[in-house]
Amino acid sequence: MSKQSEWSMLVPGPLGWELWKRGPDGAFQRRDGAEEPMKVSEVGALPGGDLALLFPVRAFHALPFRAESKDDSLFDDLATMHAERLGIRPDPMAGQLSDHFKVLADDQSTVLLHAVLKTPGEGDLPLRTPKEFDLSPRAYAVEGDTLCVWKELGRWVFGFYVGGRLLYSQATSSSTEAPDGAVLREVQLVLSQLAMQGLPCKPGLIRVWPPEGELGEAGALADAFPTRPRVEARPDPVMPDPFSDLLPEDVRAARVARKRRNQRTTLVTLLILAYLGVVGWFGYQIWEKQRVKKILAAELVELQGGTAGVLQEHNARWTELGPVVESRLSPMEIMRAVQQAIPRNSGLRLGTADLNVDGGEIQLIGTAPQSAPATQFYSSLRNSGDLKWLEWEVEPPSKSAKGWDFRVRGFPEGSEETY
């Protein structure tokens, strides 16, 4: 991470987006005099350093569930299955839009919160690419089993915390000055739903964070619970630890492009250094050769008779350069190895074999009566000793009128080209 003073957070406030910057003491302080636009893309004059974006409650689906396992490696698949059962499936082309968080665990099971981010639309991301992303309810320090109600971007939202960890959050359509009956009904409905799922949700404390701080009112929540709500100012946000794995596609694409640019820059630098090294080496060889020539010429002056002829012949051989031969694999040898990889009596046929000998690329297109011979053909190509200098990329066989069509491409090891 960067230094503490270099971190800033974009937080959805009660009236608009707020910018908070971390000071030398580690605490975040709100930037004074900053406007509060309703779209985060309209927040201007972002400070330098690392930036974190906290998605508002209305920007994601909170899907808590109990996993009958304690194996962390299974949680991702279980969370995805739980979301699909509820009919929520993130757009696979929109980036990493889901993540799960452990709430509590016992001897047999684990309670998890699976968060699925809605696909960001126009204006939902700031002008400068954030380094980290997370959920706004995870940025407030809450202790114990607590129900918190506050305003975000003009609407009331609420969240249930178990042991200080977020279990569920939801945005309402109410925008009244104090929480009204509509907010209370949604809170009670969520409590019933969580109880039916067997999830622990018995808040011992209700906290209301009105926009006016302690001057606000609890509204319809005042007498709805055995414990009277505590009306207080919203706490300052803290940095979630650790950050979530959420990463919208626009940001991921920008990071990939930046990584490729850095790789190209590094490659160019290495090529320049290699070129200078080769030039220096040849320059040294020429200098050394000239030095030897001068020595031999001086000795030649002192020699007489046949000795001078021998020395001249030696000097001529010394100046000869041997040719540089670049070897390439024979196309016949490549096709022989490919033929040996075809499963016998499988009915697999090659329709096209495109050999780019200069580039070292091979593309094979064909059909098979079943998908199994194509899969076996892929495995044989990868295990072929004569083709071990190639890396292989394949496409899954596709059903057609002639059988199962397949395509496979080989390219030299270390190449970055992909389909």
Side-chain angles (χ1 to χ4, degrees):
M1 286 189 176
S2 302
K3 297 179 181 180
Q4 290 186 350
S5 58
E6 296 179 352
W7 269 101
S8 300
M9 282 197 304
L10 286 168
V11 182
L15 302 178
W17 283 91
E18 302 172 350
L19 180 61
W20 293 71
K21 187 171 182 179
R22 187 162 67 177
D25 60 350
F28 280 87
Q29 298 178 351
R30 186 178 173 187
R31 189 175 67 176
D32 294 334
E35 297 181 359
E36 297 183 4
M38 292 298 291
K39 286 185 174 293
V40 69
S41 60
E42 298 175 358
V43 178
L46 294 174
D50 294 327
L51 180 66
L53 173 66
L54 302 181
F55 288 107
V57 174
R58 70 185 185 187
F60 63 91
H61 301 282
L63 309 174
F65 71 101
R66 182 183 294 274
E68 299 301 328
S69 174
K70 299 185 66 178
D71 188 353
D72 293 355
S73 63
L74 300 177
F75 290 162
D76 190 44
D77 292 336
L78 293 174
T80 301
M81 293 172 57
H82 176 66
E84 290 181 349
R85 284 197 300 267
L86 297 176
I88 298 176
R89 180 177 298 177
D91 184 358
M93 304 302 295
Q96 178 63 37
L97 299 187
S98 64
D99 197 4
H100 61 270
F101 310 94
K102 185 184 295 185
V103 181
L104 57 87
D106 54 29
D107 295 337
Q108 302 295 332
S109 62
T110 307
V111 175
L112 301 168
L113 168 60
H114 183 52
V116 179
L117 192 66
K118 301 175 184 177
T119 303
E122 184 178 357
D124 290 341
L125 294 177
L127 297 179
R128 184 160 66 85
T129 302
K131 182 178 181 180
E132 301 289 351
F133 297 88
D134 217 295
L135 313 177
S136 63
R138 284 179 20 95
Y140 300 119
V142 178
E143 298 181 355
D145 298 346
T146 307
L147 164 63
C148 297
V149 183
W150 70 100
K151 258 191 175 183
E152 272 190 358
L153 306 179
R155 296 181 182 180
W156 286 101
V157 301
F158 61 91
F160 290 101
Y161 296 81
V162 176
R165 297 182 179 181
L166 180 66
L167 174 68
Y168 181 83
S169 62
Q170 179 176 311
T172 72
S173 59
S174 176
S175 58
T176 54
E177 293 184 2
D180 58 4
V183 176
L184 176 60
R185 285 192 296 273
E186 294 197 36
V187 169
Q188 292 175 334
L189 179 60
V190 170
L191 278 172
S192 301
Q193 292 174 342
L194 294 177
M196 287 188 293
Q197 296 179 48
L199 298 175
C201 189
K202 296 181 180 180
L205 178 63
I206 293 88
R207 304 174 67 180
V208 179
W209 303 331
E212 299 81 5
E214 296 182 358
L215 299 179
E217 298 180 356
L221 303 178
D223 301 319
F225 299 94
T227 303
R228 187 169 183 81
R230 181 187 300 174
V231 181
E232 57 191 8
R234 189 194 70 181
D236 294 342
V238 296
M239 184 176 293
D241 186 21
F243 277 109
S244 71
D245 293 331
L246 299 173
L247 187 64
E249 176 59 27
D250 291 348
V251 179
R252 184 170 63 178
R255 293 184 182 180
V256 171
R258 183 170 61 250
K259 182 179 179 181
R260 289 179 177 174
R261 288 196 301 269
N262 294 338
Q263 290 176 341
R264 285 195 295 267
T265 301
T266 302
L267 179 60
V268 171
T269 302
L270 292 176
L271 290 176
I272 293 175
L273 292 177
Y275 172 76
L276 294 177
V278 171
V279 171
W281 183 81
F282 276 109
Y284 172 78
Q285 293 295 317
I286 294 173
W287 174 84
E288 179 67 13
K289 192 179 298 182
Q290 295 296 327
R291 186 182 69 84
V292 172
K293 281 184 178 181
K294 291 180 180 180
I295 295 174
L296 294 177
E299 294 178 355
L300 182 62
V301 174
E302 300 176 0
L303 296 177
Q304 300 295 329
T307 307
V310 174
L311 191 58
Q312 290 178 353
E313 182 181 356
H314 173 75
N315 189 50
R317 291 182 178 181
W318 185 270
T319 58
E320 292 180 356
L321 295 176
V324 178
V325 180
E326 182 179 357
S327 62
R328 297 182 181 273
L329 292 178
S330 169
M332 294 298 295
E333 291 297 322
I334 294 175
M335 288 308 301
R336 180 187 61 81
V338 171
Q339 180 66 28
Q340 291 178 348
I342 297 177
R344 295 183 179 180
N345 302 322
S346 63
L348 184 143
R349 296 289 184 273
L350 289 178
T352 301
D354 185 6
L355 305 182
N356 183 358
V357 179
D358 292 336
E361 297 182 11
I362 300 172
Q363 181 169 249
L364 306 173
I365 302 175
T367 59
Q370 302 293 333
S371 61
T375 303
Q376 185 178 356
F377 180 52
Y378 302 158
S379 177
S380 299
L381 289 175
R382 288 193 174 100
N383 296 328
S384 174
D386 295 332
L387 301 175
K388 63 182 180 180
W389 57 282
L390 290 172
E391 291 183 354
W392 295 94
E393 284 192 353
V394 301
E395 292 183 354
S398 59
K399 183 67 175 177
S400 68
K402 297 181 180 180
W404 290 82
D405 295 338
F406 64 88
R407 184 173 73 166
V408 59
R409 187 172 75 103
F411 51 91
E413 284 187 308
S415 174
E416 295 183 356
E417 297 184 10
T418 57
Y419 279 119

